[in-house]
Amino acid sequence: MSQLERITVDPQQCGGRPCIRSLRIRVKDVLDLLAAGASNEEILEDYPLLEAADIVAVLEFAARQSDHPILRVA
């Protein structure tokens, strides 16, 4: 089941960057922590307002952003 509804974009918040449940915690911040080797448990400890499903939503969002059509030029 998709968790993308947890990702919010509001032009008045964080410069319109994708956030998690309007918490002012940017998707990019969580992705940076994961890329640096932080575990889900460490992230949830550091950000007590986050839920495990939020991390799943961040990963799903990133995966969908990286999928793009391949354009072929004749």
Side-chain angles (χ1 to χ4, degrees), residues 16-63:
R17 291 178 181 88
C19 293
I20 302 165
R21 293 185 291 120
S22 300
L23 292 174
R24 295 188 185 272
I25 301 171
R26 298 179 310 162
V27 167
K28 181 188 183 322
D29 296 331
V30 176
L31 286 172
D32 286 343
L33 289 169
L34 291 167
S39 69
N40 289 9
E41 293 77 19
E42 290 170 323
I43 295 169
L44 294 173
E45 272 182 37
D46 290 345
Y47 294 89
L49 293 176
L50 289 183
E51 301 169 0
D54 294 328
I55 296 174
V56 172
V58 163
L59 292 171
E60 182 181 354
F61 182 83

Side-chain angles (χ1 to χ4, degrees), residues 63-74:
R64 291 200 181 192
Q65 292 298 307
S66 68
D67 188 23
H68 58 87
I70 298 173
L71 302 177
R72 298 190 190 268
V73 179

